[in-house]
Amino acid sequence: MDSKIDPSDEAQGLRLVRAFLSLPPEKRAEVIAFVEDLVRAHARPEDGQEATPT
């Protein structure tokens, strides 16, 4: 683990992972789709720029 990470941030991250893993598979899929939509919305290229393939 990175020693620069605040222990409370690390604990929060572990709680989020634990909560995600406790979800039923169909709810996990919904969460993943939601996050992917957020990433796509924030990764849109500005006008006149092309998106780079991933």
Side-chain angles (χ1 to χ4, degrees):
M1 295 255 169
D2 190 351
S3 62
K4 297 176 186 175
I5 296 175
D6 183 4
S8 62
D9 289 344
E10 191 174 307
Q12 180 65 24
L14 290 172
R15 282 192 290 271
L16 288 171
V17 170
R18 207 173 285 138
F20 175 76
L21 293 175
S22 70
L23 292 172
E26 62 275 359
K27 291 293 182 182
R28 280 190 217 163
E30 287 181 35
V31 171
I32 291 169
F34 176 76
V35 171
E36 287 174 343
D37 288 344
L38 284 178
V39 169
R40 272 193 290 278
H42 284 54
R44 285 193 183 132
E46 294 184 21
D47 290 349
Q49 293 181 345
E50 290 185 26
T52 57
T54 55

